[in-house]
Amino acid sequence: MNRFAALLDRLSYEPGRNNKLRLITAYFRDTPDPDRGYALAAMTGALSFKHAKSGLIRDLIVARSDPALFALSYDYVGDLSETVALMWPRPDRLTNSPPPPSLGEVVTTLDSLPKKELPAQLAQWLDELDETGRWALLKLVTGALRIGVSARLAKTAAAALGDKDPHDIELIWPGLAPPYAELFAWLEGRAAIPVTHDPAPFRPVMLAHAIEDSDFANLDPNDFAAEWKWDGIRVQAVSGRAEDRTIVTRLYSRTGEDITGAFPDLLPALHLPGAVDGELLVLRDKRVQTFNVLQQRLNRKSVTPKLMKDYPIHLRAYDLLGDGENDLRELPFEERRDRLEAFIAKLNNPRVDLSVQVPFRSWDELAAARADPASANAGEDAEAVEGVMLKRRDAAYVPGRPKGQWWKWKRDPHVIDAVLMYAQRGHGKRSSYYSDYTFGVWTTGDAGEELVPVGKAYFGFTDEELIQIDKFVRRYTTERFGPVRQVVHEPDQGLVLEVAFEGLQRSTRHKSGVAMRFPRINRLRWDKPPREADRLETLEKMLSP
Amino acid sequence: MAGKLAPMKSPPYITTMRPQDILVPQPHGLCCRPGEFYIDPVRPVARALITHGHSDHARAGHGAVLATQETLDMMRLRYGDDFAGSTQAITYGEEIRFGTCQVKFHPAGHVLGSAQISVTCGGVRVVASGDYKDVADPTCAPFEVVPCDVFITEATFGLPVFRHGNPQAEIAKLLNSVALFPERAHLVGAYSLGKAQRVIAMLRQAGYDAPIYLHGAMETITRYYESRGIALGELRPARDAKKVELAGTITLAPPTAIQDLWTRRFPDPLAAFASGWMRVRARARQRGIELPLVISDHADWDGLCATIEATGAHEIWVTHGQEDALVHWATTKGLTARPLALVGYGEEDEETALPTSDGTKA
Ligand SMILES: [Zn+2]
Ligand SMILES: [Zn+2]
């Protein structure tokens, strides 16, 4: 447990993805079974014991400490588990006291421990562990292990142990269970790849390249079919027959994470064996809602009937990878599309529909449709269209991003000129640079013309531009608030940033009343005086009525 | 033991000597009226007794200064030759009289030359600990428990959440990281006086024998430690090294430098920080530290409590830090305890750190 705790401790401070990977892979390499397997389970959310309530933790420390000292300490530290981990009284260690518990011991004990025995068991472990070990234990048992590691990242780190493709782990993952001894045996070259008997396995997804204007010259419109690109979530909906002939249905994210539990309202619709590639959307009165609406259904701890009623979930299908027992991935797209249309018709459920195709004869026609989806066939759903997808009619379904098969052609992002107002230091590699920028546009305030902040961006610029902005920030700081610097933003003095963004909505949380989606720095406009930057009215006009 | 004198057997004048008649907090610092001196005064006074060389305790401009040789040397390095009217060196255990008071210096285990100052007057002994720690440190003499009637303790880490643990385990954490990320430069933030040298010495104890690099602000004081016989192995100025050479190395720098422009000379720098404050995650995260190392030159909560009990003092005065918790704890142990209102002390102030070897401020 102390070794796992040391890993979590280190991960909690490490901002870089690659560094996190190396730390986790090193842990898997140095830690024997079954502990590393339980660690993988903890990081992928595959542990199933019931979490302890924080009241229980509080009771444990109150019984063992002076209430005034606990109050002062909690007030200073601000986190209950951490306070308890740090101030837990050190027992007088006897030479024959038990060694600290291993992670495997903790997990397997918690799995079967009667609830009333939990306090005493926790107290015993807390006596045996060190400060970091106690912190990790309390985070683990209260289900608050937030260390910035996704399931995908943990699996990628495991794959690196055996130089394997993380896709291969995703393929067999549904058939595996903690502590994953057979997985590690395969990764370390001691055994063959574990076979999966999963009736509803994930299939690694096919991805598209972003298309550039110069690409069209070499592409024949007749070779391609087009569909709208929806602003939802890519999912794979798989149903299969288990050995007892019952239907097993799973929903996977595009990285293969099992998200079935979050969408129970969609499952009954998927009653035929098959694997559908599609987009998860919220539909109200048959109209596609924006991504912001869909977001209300994501990352929820529990899916309440009210949530399901207010945010009705829907699957828009655009490909069929499996039909009954048959794997369709080798077939050309056109054939898969025919099979898909038949499959969706057989499902015959309003929760699942077909992604319509956008007819076009030339690239110019498609460009016109993309610029105005409403007057093509997107109709009232045009607002939720992000662009168009181009798929070669003869393309097989190939995992990854094969060249020239699928293209995404996004709508032009919105662009405005804004003025840099505040800058904040970045993290990790960027911690010595001012790399997070708050920018504003002009509006008429009580005291005349003033800049009002409309957004924050921390990417989009090149390394060279970062150095230039950093220099500018340091030279033209007008005030400091902790890690934040205010930089000069006068009509004739300041830096104009060309900001690109995907969408705009009203916001009561921002003084400006608008919030941008995916804002990024497009260009630095050293040539432009701040007085010529855009006005808030321009943004307000972009808001959908 | 002085503290165990039975009052009834004492001559009448002893019972009239209250501790606050011996030492009393004043705006200039802790004042001894019968001895006519101050301990660690924050403003210029005629006679000053200095516990140790940190800039918040050792200031320039006093008339006469009494301190250990090391503390006097450190003051000279920081402030120049004329930092005081006159100086006198005292060794641990040596006794000097001021008026009706006997004064002795005892090792405080905080930094090289650091001392607790015991003042005995009319049969009552008061010990001003300055800053102290009660754990091993290869760069200074170990802390000595001085039995006394009144113990003046610091409380920098005066909350039960501050448990510093085993410092060698933190050094192992640093070395593991260097092994795992051999292409990155590890920058360890550490206070220039004491902490930096202790970290280096512990790295050597752990068997690390590669050259260790120093920020310019650390050179003078580190060379001074070496001149006092503390072996630190091969040290190099970071400013002379090429970027590629610094991959996989360890560099010691003042805490303010590890995320500054200065770090750009290092390949993919990793910010570590050696401090007792690193025990609390929010403090480490606030500073953007990637590798917190819990290594402190102050006693932790357990150390403060154990030391107070070991002195046998029946009265405790608590100075800079988290006074409330320690005063509360002492009261629950049946001791008389109060916070001492002294201003001007805190963490070593890096703005007044030692000048770099080329004469500029780091
Ligand atoms: Zn000090
Ligand atoms: Zn101090």
Side-chain angles (χ1 to χ4, degrees):
Chain A
M1 183 77 208
N2 279 335
R3 177 74 183 84
F4 178 59
L7 171 71
L8 294 186
D9 181 49
R10 184 70 196 270
L11 288 173
S12 72
Y13 294 110
E14 175 56 64
R17 182 178 183 277
N18 282 336
N19 293 331
K20 281 184 183 168
L21 277 176
R22 276 164 70 181
L23 288 165
I24 303 170
T25 304
Y27 169 84
F28 287 146
R29 188 174 294 121
D30 301 341
T31 310
D33 292 321
D35 266 34
R36 57 180 172 180
Y38 288 115
L40 179 59
M43 289 186 278
T44 51
L47 293 177
S48 57
F49 56 80
K50 260 198 112 48
H51 293 142
K53 295 249 160 42
S54 61
L56 187 158
I57 314 292
R58 190 189 287 266
D59 291 346
L60 284 176
I61 194 69
V62 164
R64 282 167 181 78
S65 65
D66 179 300
L69 293 180
F70 169 66
L72 284 166
S73 298
Y74 188 19
D75 186 51
Y76 182 86
V77 174
D79 177 280
L80 181 68
S81 292
E82 189 181 347
T83 309
V84 173
L86 292 178
M87 71 179 294
W88 189 260
R90 214 184 308 240
D92 294 319
R93 301 280 293 172
L94 303 169
T95 44
N96 62 349
S97 32
S102 68
L103 178 61
E105 196 181 324
V106 169
V107 170
T108 49
T109 306
L110 286 174
D111 259 336
S112 58
L113 193 71
K115 203 176 162 195
K116 64 178 194 323
E117 287 173 35
L118 182 60
Q121 177 63 76
L122 270 183
Q124 187 197 322
W125 284 334
L126 290 168
D127 281 346
E128 293 163 5
L129 291 163
D130 65 15
E131 277 79 3
T132 309
R134 292 194 289 263
W135 167 76
L137 174 71
L138 292 175
K139 290 290 176 188
L140 186 70
V141 299
T142 54
L145 212 60
R146 282 181 288 271
I147 44 161
V149 173
S150 64
R152 174 71 177 178
L153 192 75
K155 290 174 202 166
T156 306
L161 191 61
D163 248 337
K164 303 283 195 243
D165 190 327
H167 272 316
D168 295 342
I169 293 191
E170 296 293 4
L171 271 178
I172 56 171
W173 186 258
L176 302 175
Y180 309 112
E182 33 172 5
L183 172 70
F184 284 105
W186 166 60
L187 290 171
E188 290 178 336
R190 291 181 283 111
I193 187 162
V195 281
T196 167
H197 302 289
D198 184 33
F202 173 68
R203 292 148 173 94
V205 299
M206 178 163 177
L207 301 165
H209 284 271
I211 201 161
E212 304 286 338
D213 289 345
S214 57
D215 290 322
F216 289 105
N218 305 314
L219 301 176
D220 181 349
N222 293 316
D223 291 341
F224 287 87
E227 293 166 50
W228 299 118
K229 180 168 170 29
W230 298 101
D231 195 6
I233 292 179
R234 177 97 180 262
V235 290
Q236 196 176 102
V238 188
S239 293
R241 262 184 221 291
E243 274 163 46
D244 61 1
R245 308 301 295 157
T246 55
I247 290 276
V248 174
T249 301
R250 289 215 186 83
L251 272 182
Y252 297 98
S253 73
R254 58 179 258 181
T255 55
E257 267 179 75
D258 188 336
I259 53 170
T260 316
F263 304 99
D265 38 342
L266 182 59
L267 305 184
L270 304 161
H271 55 91
L272 295 172
V276 176
D277 190 358
E279 197 85 359
L280 214 50
L281 301 167
V282 164
L283 256 65
R284 287 178 183 152
D285 301 327
K286 296 188 178 169
R287 277 196 62 183
V288 177
Q289 305 296 304
T290 64
F291 187 79
N292 297 293
V293 176
L294 174 61
Q295 220 158 15
Q296 303 304 315
R297 285 229 35 182
L298 309 176
N299 304 320
R300 290 299 182 108
K301 267 196 186 145
S302 63
V303 189
T304 60
K306 179 165 168 34
L307 192 71
M308 290 191 279
K309 186 170 155 282
D310 292 349
Y311 301 94
I313 206 70
H314 188 91
L315 178 67
R316 185 146 289 176
Y318 38 66
D319 212 329
L320 191 65
L321 316 184
D323 188 358
E325 300 292 297
N326 302 314
D327 187 343
L328 308 186
R329 287 175 290 179
E330 297 286 308
L331 298 180
F333 173 71
E334 234 169 6
E335 274 182 55
R336 293 202 309 277
R337 173 79 195 188
D338 291 343
R339 302 279 289 257
L340 177 71
E341 288 176 9
F343 187 83
I344 299 302
K346 253 200 297 180
L347 279 183
N348 189 24
N349 190 298
R351 292 253 183 204
V352 186
D353 68 4
L354 262 182
S355 159
V356 296
Q357 296 198 309
V358 185
F360 68 101
R361 280 162 301 181
S362 68
W363 295 129
D364 283 346
E365 262 185 55
L366 189 61
R370 166 175 151 277
D372 187 7
S375 57
N377 63 11
E380 293 199 292
D381 290 338
E383 262 305 296
V385 167
E386 245 192 343
V388 292
M389 292 294 300
L390 291 171
K391 296 178 177 175
R392 265 195 88 90
R393 294 177 186 277
D394 60 0
Y397 193 93
V398 184
R401 223 180 280 275
K403 249 190 124 123
Q405 307 299 299
W406 285 13
W407 300 94
K408 55 183 172 201
W409 191 13
K410 286 208 177 185
R411 295 178 81 173
D412 285 335
H414 307 288
V415 174
I416 55 151
D417 287 329
V419 183
L420 177 63
M421 298 176 72
Y422 305 95
Q424 187 171 354
R425 283 194 197 214
H427 294 280
K429 268 188 192 185
R430 280 189 183 169
S431 62
S432 81
Y433 294 93
Y434 285 88
S435 60
D436 295 11
Y437 310 115
T438 302
F439 47 82
V441 293
W442 294 105
T443 187
T444 311
D446 300 334
E449 290 300 278
E450 61 177 36
L451 284 165
V452 56
V454 288
K456 250 181 155 177
Y458 46 91
F459 64 99
F461 38 81
T462 63
D463 286 352
E464 224 163 282
E465 286 171 332
L466 171 61
I467 291 168
Q468 291 167 3
I469 309 176
D470 182 73
K471 262 197 200 137
F472 176 85
V473 169
R474 287 172 191 276
R475 184 168 319 155
Y476 294 105
T477 297
T478 50
E479 233 177 301
R480 295 170 193 228
F481 318 91
V484 178
R485 290 192 183 200
Q486 175 181 294
V487 294
V488 65
H489 48 269
E490 304 288 329
D492 290 303
Q493 232 196 338
L495 174 56
V496 176
L497 305 169
E498 185 179 292
V499 178
F501 54 98
E502 291 304 316
L504 200 67
Q505 352 157 233
R506 288 179 204 288
S507 162
T508 47
R509 284 190 305 127
H510 297 80
K511 189 182 162 199
S512 63
V514 295
M516 290 179 176
R517 194 152 169 249
F518 289 137
R520 63 241 181 220
I521 308 297
N522 221 26
R523 266 198 302 165
L524 307 185
R525 297 297 305 262
W526 298 105
D527 55 312
K528 204 163 194 177
R531 65 166 72 251
E532 287 174 25
D534 277 306
R535 301 188 55 82
L536 189 57
E537 294 86 275
T538 314
L539 283 174
E540 281 163 350
K541 266 185 234 146
M542 291 181 187
L543 286 166
S544 44
Chain B
M1 262 191 278
K4 303 296 173 199
L5 285 174
M8 58 189 57
K9 288 183 197 159
S10 313
Y13 70 84
I14 290 178
T15 51
T16 62
M17 203 69 188
R18 298 169 308 162
Q20 54 269 43
D21 296 330
I22 302 174
L23 282 172
V24 63
Q26 288 198 340
H28 283 60
L30 202 54
C31 173
C32 176
R33 286 210 190 94
E36 297 183 343
F37 61 80
Y38 284 83
I39 295 176
D40 293 350
V42 294
R43 294 185 212 158
V45 297
R47 184 185 284 132
L49 276 58
I50 306 294
T51 59
H52 68 286
H54 278 151
S55 57
D56 52 336
H57 292 256
R59 298 178 194 250
H62 305 307
V65 170
L66 177 72
T68 62
Q69 185 61 54
E70 290 87 351
T71 300
L72 292 174
D73 291 343
M74 289 169 189
M75 292 175 80
R76 192 167 292 120
L77 286 174
R78 180 182 291 117
Y79 304 120
D81 283 336
D82 49 359
F83 70 92
S86 66
T87 62
Q88 184 183 351
I90 183 169
T91 56
Y92 295 133
E94 188 184 335
E95 188 174 292
I96 294 185
R97 274 197 91 82
F98 291 102
T100 55
C101 302
Q102 289 111 294
V103 167
K104 265 181 154 181
F105 279 45
H106 305 269
H110 175 54
V111 296
L112 181 63
S114 66
Q116 315 168 69
I117 299 177
S118 83
V119 182
T120 312
C121 191
V124 176
R125 181 181 292 164
V126 182
V127 169
S129 68
D131 292 340
Y132 68 97
K133 73 168 176 293
D134 57 338
V135 296
D137 178 342
T139 66
C140 66
F143 177 81
E144 182 188 314
V145 173
V146 185
C148 56
D149 302 282
V150 178
F151 185 57
I152 307 177
T153 182
E154 58 137 322
T156 306
F157 293 113
L159 273 178
V161 291
F162 289 109
R163 300 285 217 16
H164 297 334
N166 175 8
Q168 282 298 355
E170 302 297 291
I171 293 293
K173 197 159 111 183
L174 172 61
L175 291 175
N176 283 339
S177 183
V178 173
L180 189 60
F181 296 104
E183 78 289 3
R184 303 185 71 180
H186 283 61
L187 306 186
V188 182
Y191 292 112
S192 313
L193 197 174
K195 183 70 63 64
Q197 297 76 29
R198 181 178 177 213
V199 168
I200 297 170
M202 287 198 298
L203 282 165
R204 299 310 187 200
Q205 279 181 336
Y208 183 76
D209 55 9
I212 292 174
Y213 292 81
L214 296 178
H215 183 278
M218 307 233 146
E219 290 173 30
T220 311
I221 183 65
T222 305
R223 296 299 174 199
Y224 174 72
Y225 264 68
E226 288 184 302
S227 78
R228 300 298 292 186
I230 291 152
L232 298 175
E234 189 187 346
L235 304 175
R236 294 179 184 171
R239 82 180 104 80
D240 294 344
K242 292 206 185 66
K243 193 166 185 167
V244 286
E245 285 169 41
L246 293 166
T249 63
I250 297 174
T251 299
L252 274 291
T256 49
I258 56 169
Q259 278 147 334
D260 201 6
L261 294 170
W262 176 77
T263 62
R264 293 189 192 169
R265 74 185 66 204
F266 294 91
D268 198 1
L270 186 152
F273 187 19
S275 164
W277 298 114
M278 294 297 101
R279 190 39 110 196
V280 174
R281 316 182 77 80
R283 299 270 314 218
R285 228 175 273 121
Q286 253 162 30
R287 300 190 70 137
I289 301 300
E290 284 164 84
L291 188 64
L293 304 171
V294 187
I295 301 176
S296 171
D297 47 19
H298 297 267
D300 66 2
W301 173 260
D302 294 337
L304 293 171
C305 295
T307 303
I308 288 171
E309 291 193 313
T311 62
H314 52 77
E315 188 163 338
I316 308 299
W317 299 350
V318 185
T319 72
H320 57 299
Q322 315 269 346
E323 289 98 347
D324 295 355
L326 202 58
V327 166
H328 172 82
W329 173 86
T331 312
T332 63
K333 296 287 162 188
L335 305 172
T336 304
R338 62 182 177 104
L340 207 57
L342 284 174
V343 288
Y345 303 94
E347 281 187 75
E348 158 87 318
D349 182 1
E350 286 293 333
E351 297 298 317
T352 59
L354 295 170
T356 56
S357 54
D358 53 7
T360 57
K361 284 274 181 184

